[in-house]
Amino acid sequence: MRNELLDRFDEWGSRPAVIEGDAVYSYRDLAGRIREAEETLRASQVRPHDPVVLNGDFSFLSIATLLALYRNRNVVIPVVNLTEASLAAITEACRPNHVATVGECLTIAPAALPTGATEEPGATTTATPSMPAATAAGYGQLAGADAAGLVLLSSGSTGVPKAILHNLDAIVAAKVGRMTRVSPRPANMLMFLLFDHIGGINSLLGVLRAAGTAVVPALRTPEEICRLVEKHRIRLLPTSPTFLNLVLIGDFHEKYDLSSLRLITYGTEPMPEDLLRRVNEAFGRARLLQTFGTSETGIATTTSDSSRSTYFRIDDPNVQYRVVDGELQIKSVTQFLGYLNYPTDSLTEDGWFRTRDLVAQSDDGSIRIEGRAQQVINVGGEKLLPHELESILITSPLVDDCVVYARANAITGQSVCVDIRPSAPTTRAELRRHVVAFLTGRVEAFKIPSRINLVDSIAVSERFKKKRSL
């Protein structure tokens, strides 16, 4: 596949591959830049199967460098925001040989070893004082298969990111190997999700598979994204429920012409039914589709009965799924090889990945995401998922947005709290009276929040998921 990739790009020639700012780069340009990046790798003595940190977000150069590292059979560790703390955690878990930084040009520097570690011959495949056993085993498995690797970083319960090791050859083969019919008119897709996110990698591979055009945003704000949709007549927008709600709150769907959109995919968190209804009204010409994926298993192809349904089916020959005690479990062709710095206890004895996502199932087998198992709020033995209460609260005319979370309580163990961004000026006392009255009779008494905060905005992560206070 790695050799076929450049052949395809050469064949597609002048078709636009990447739009970044005012610059338009063709597939011929992309093939040329990949070859230049490969020369830089050789000059910097980046050997096949070396682990390499790739620091940068989506750009023409970062895309070319990622593909050059794939062709060179490296273990790629993409990181958008690289700090001293994150580099130290990555170094400890992944033992990278090099750090490739993408700015105006590509620079490659040797990676510093952890304090007290010494470099030894064959350290990328053999456990040594400078190479944890799990890391050596994972890298050795990739080297034995002569495959490239991908390490994704996900939040860990201790605050140290989990280093999730993948076979990059398997991901590329599953997502690019079966090329779709090349349309005479390239489809533009916004690279909304981050470069170091499984969804971002999936979006990029989807563009390459269909000879489409990746539109790179300089900023991921609701206004900037909507401006780019209008400017470039974007047809496909991968996003999240939280981001879509921010678009509606800011009326950006009315300030910009978004009529080119034909498909809006959303994932990463549950979709409230009332928000889905409002998004359908705002984007009448676009089909809405719930997606599902994890950093450990990849992104699955999904289908749904309609744009107005929060139920969907995983319809992917590369993915199996089952529901056990309300939890969604996955097996996939693109499943991870293991964690480099955590016990792989998220796998069942028979090899299914426990997603920790709680789902509801319909009679026909469709599923709906209800929330994360670790977000369940336990009030004296009575349990609540934040999504359930948020879905009700946003139907209130006084609530623009909200986030529900738990706080420790000496009597009940936990109590229900909510931060609310109101749709009109109000006081905290007025908001509390309204919320209590609005929820009374709609939910059980224990679900009515004991603490109601009035906020100017709801905090979201860089991946546009709501941040829940602890």
Side-chain angles (χ1 to χ4, degrees), residues 50-54 66 69-70 74-78 149-152 168:
D50 279 355
V52 179
V53 176
L54 177 53
L66 172 66
L69 289 166
Y70 157 69
N74 290 114
V75 180
V76 189
I77 309 157
L150 174 70
V151 177
L152 299 173
L168 184 54

Side-chain angles (χ1 to χ4, degrees), residues 32 120 123 131 141 153 168 207 252 277 297 315 352 372-373 456 463 467-469:
E120 300 185 24
M131 175 68 69
Q141 188 174 346
L153 303 175
L168 184 54
V207 168
F252 296 114
R277 176 189 61 78
T297 60
D315 188 15
W352 291 79
R372 302 284 291 167
D456 293 329
R463 306 197 199 289
K467 290 184 177 179
R468 301 184 188 277
S469 302

Side-chain angles (χ1 to χ4, degrees), residues 240-243 245-246 249 269 375 390 400-405 407 418-422 453-470:
S240 70
T242 292
F243 185 82
N245 194 40
L246 291 173
I249 289 172
E269 60 185 354
Q375 292 174 356
E390 290 168 2
D400 252 352
D401 201 2
C402 63
V403 59
V404 173
Y405 54 94
R407 281 280 173 85
V418 62
D419 293 347
I420 293 177
R421 170 180 163 152
N453 300 314
L454 188 158
V455 298
D456 293 329
S457 62
I458 301 297
V460 299
S461 71
E462 61 183 4
R463 306 197 199 289
F464 284 96
K465 295 170 64 173
K466 290 180 179 179
K467 290 184 177 179
R468 301 184 188 277
S469 302
L470 299 177

Side-chain angles (χ1 to χ4, degrees), residues 64-88:
T65 305
L66 172 66
L67 296 175
L69 289 166
Y70 157 69
R71 281 173 46 82
N72 199 45
R73 297 172 176 82
N74 290 114
V75 180
V76 189
I77 309 157
V79 185
V80 172
N81 299 309
L82 191 61
T83 64
E84 289 187 12
S86 62
L87 180 58

